[in-house]
Amino acid sequence: MKRVNSKSDLAVNGAEPAFAELLHVGRPNVGNRDTFLANIGRILDNNWLTNNGPMVQEFEQRVAQYLGVEHCVAMCNGTIALEIAIRALGLNGEVIVPSWTFVATAHALYWQGITPVFADIDMDTHNLDPDSVRTMITPRTSGIIGVHLWGRSANVEALQSVADEHDLKLMFDAAHAFGSSYKGKSIGQFGECEVFSFHATKAFNTMEGGAVTTNNHELAETLRLMRNFGFKGYDNVIHPGTNGKMIEACAAMGLANIASFDSVTEVNRANHEVYRSNLCGIPGLKVLEFDSSERNSHHYIVLEISEECGASRDELVNMLHAENVLARKYFWPGSHRMQPYKALYPHSDLVLPHTLVLSERVLILPNGQQLSSDEIRLICSLIRQTVQ
Ligand SMILES: *Cc1c(COP(=O)(O)O)cnc(C)c1O
């Protein structure tokens, strides 16, 4: 196996890293190369590179069908998709979000003059705690953005109840949750709308890309206008807008990758099981498991390292990096401890105790279609030797 060095995996402290090549978290899953190249050929034959071309339209239909949702509005990336969705819903003032997410969830609000207010999360699911959300509501609150972290659905019904009680709009950042389900129904159809990222590092990618999905026809129309400068037909601008368009080449990648997404999920699920069985029984080390009755791409291998473990989370990260395994501390230190939010809320650690604890415990390991079982077993044995 070319990525692994010949030295015995017992020689952890040797000069050579255990892996000859870097093993990243979020290596791209790439579908059939011939399909992708044929799609690129079609784009060149059409001589239509962007502006809602046939490839993007086909991609939107394919995604909507896959998710069982009426409208998919493809965008250039997940962050712009969030910004446009936030604007199309008319959110303003304050919007409640978890701190424990990629910082784009908060940035998409702040960037347009809306104040993100951070609520705490549930220790077991890592998702927004509806009771904490309740305590953060003020007269200025206009909405809630739930995040389906690690592809595990947020507590959709409880969040919807909070939103309904206080007349707030609920939307979801579903960047991790392509192919996930909530009570058996695909993520993509909950709240006012849901936002996906198809960035190269996500389970399903279009290189860069994103989408907003909704069953609301009017909202979908507004999203389409905003994505294209507010143009309705030629020369007729009827709305403020920006440039959020997905290009044809990205849709070509998406169509190639969606065809193999189910097999990527199967590989990820099997890998997750290899990690779980090789890391079980280590005191203070937990491999996060997903509800087997729900769908999940198993893209994220999440470890929680608590005080009882023989090595700290940071010691494990440093060891793995030295062995060329680029494990990540997603989403350390938490959005509320990043700027500008740290300056805005210097004391927010006090109201986010679970976020604080988890941000010191979590470690993400590599997964994906290119990772072999032998590589996973080597990663696990490196971890075992370090905690002993
Ligand atoms: C990746 C990600 C985004 C941003 O998506 P981009 O396509 O990279 O702009 C937003 N939210 C979460 C939770 C993400 O993981």
Side-chain angles (χ1 to χ4, degrees):
M1 188 170 32
K2 109 171 175 299
R3 275 206 296 272
V4 175
N5 273 324
S6 55
K7 75 169 189 175
S8 141
D9 58 5
L10 289 170
V12 206
N13 298 316
E16 293 256 299
F19 290 87
E21 288 174 29
L22 281 178
L23 213 56
H24 293 267
V25 167
R27 277 182 305 171
N29 294 311
V30 178
N32 187 289
R33 183 182 291 231
D34 292 335
T35 308
F36 171 65
L37 293 175
N39 288 346
I40 293 292
R42 276 164 61 202
I43 293 170
L44 297 177
D45 292 344
N46 287 335
N47 198 27
W48 190 341
L49 306 184
T50 185
N51 286 1
N52 203 28
M55 199 69 70
V56 162
Q57 291 180 35
E58 188 181 332
F59 175 69
E60 288 182 335
Q61 277 170 17
R62 188 84 176 77
V63 169
Q65 182 191 34
Y66 189 84
L67 301 178
V69 63
E70 262 176 71
H71 304 278
C72 166
V73 183
M75 306 266 185
C76 56
N77 62 55
T79 305
I80 296 288
L82 276 171
E83 288 175 11
I84 292 178
I86 286 162
R87 229 169 238 273
L89 290 180
L91 300 185
N92 55 35
E94 297 172 0
V95 171
I96 299 170
V97 294
S99 162
W100 191 235
T101 171
F102 183 55
V103 72
T105 317
H107 277 356
L109 293 161
Y110 192 84
W111 192 252
Q112 28 198 358
I114 301 168
T115 307
V117 173
F118 299 112
D120 209 8
I121 47 174
D122 179 277
M123 281 293 277
D124 291 326
T125 66
H126 299 193
N127 274 324
L128 210 44
D129 171 5
D131 290 330
S132 175
V133 170
R134 257 196 196 88
T135 66
M136 299 296 171
I137 295 171
T138 75
R140 279 170 49 79
T141 310
S142 64
I144 303 167
I145 304 180
V147 180
H148 307 297
L149 208 73
W150 320 134
R152 187 195 330 243
S153 61
N155 191 339
V156 171
E157 279 170 23
L159 291 173
Q160 190 66 61
S161 303
V162 178
D164 292 345
E165 280 163 35
H166 297 270
D167 203 17
L168 305 175
K169 291 202 164 140
L170 174 65
M171 60 175 269
F172 290 97
D173 177 338
H176 292 189
F178 192 80
S180 294
S181 67
Y182 172 73
K183 299 203 168 170
K185 289 167 83 180
S186 289
I187 295 295
Q189 50 195 299
F190 298 105
E192 305 282 338
C193 62
E194 304 214 50
V195 179
F196 292 92
S197 163
F198 306 136
H199 184 256
T201 55
K202 304 300 203 265
F204 165 65
N205 84 86
T206 61
M207 302 194 187
E208 287 269 6
V212 186
T213 60
T214 181
N215 285 325
N216 180 333
H217 180 71
E218 230 174 284
L219 180 63
E221 283 302 298
T222 306
L223 292 164
R224 289 181 185 286
L225 283 172
M226 288 184 163
R227 160 181 88 167
N228 187 32
F229 313 100
F231 272 104
K232 188 174 178 66
Y234 296 109
D235 308 324
N236 187 25
V237 173
I238 62 165
H239 208 283
T242 182
N243 183 354
K245 300 188 300 294
M246 176 180 275
I247 63 170
E248 291 289 276
C250 289
M253 185 68 162
L255 285 168
N257 289 348
I258 203 168
S260 58
F261 181 70
D262 289 344
S263 67
V264 169
T265 294
E266 277 318 304
V267 170
N268 280 346
R269 183 199 308 282
N271 286 347
H272 196 170
E273 183 51 31
V274 178
Y275 271 118
R276 199 198 57 74
S277 60
N278 280 274
L279 290 174
C280 67
I282 299 177
L285 186 150
K286 177 170 127 187
V287 182
L288 204 72
E289 291 186 48
F290 300 117
D291 184 346
S292 60
S293 67
E294 299 287 4
R295 279 175 280 127
N296 189 309
S297 68
H298 291 256
H299 184 61
Y300 298 94
I301 305 294
V302 185
L303 301 195
E304 276 180 46
I305 316 293
S306 60
E307 292 73 25
E308 303 87 71
C309 189
S312 71
R313 187 270 307 265
D314 287 359
E315 281 166 352
L316 285 173
V317 169
N318 292 339
M319 177 281 291
L320 289 166
H321 283 202
E323 302 291 359
N324 274 348
V325 180
L326 284 191
R328 299 294 304 273
K329 300 196 276 186
Y330 291 157
F331 291 100
W332 186 83
S335 306
H336 73 287
R337 293 195 284 176
M338 295 176 179
Q339 295 296 11
Y341 314 112
K342 190 177 169 177
L344 206 59
Y345 305 116
H347 306 299
S348 55
D349 276 354
L350 296 172
V351 291
L352 303 171
H354 295 164
T355 302
L356 204 59
V357 169
L358 281 175
S359 75
E360 301 301 331
R361 284 189 181 173
V362 165
L363 164 56
I364 312 293
L365 293 173
N367 200 4
Q369 70 186 160
Q370 297 173 49
L371 191 68
S372 73
S373 305
D374 284 345
E375 289 173 320
I376 297 173
R377 279 189 277 270
L378 179 52
I379 293 171
C380 294
S381 77
L382 293 168
I383 291 174
R384 275 194 181 272
Q385 291 163 59
T386 307
V387 300
Q388 265 163 14

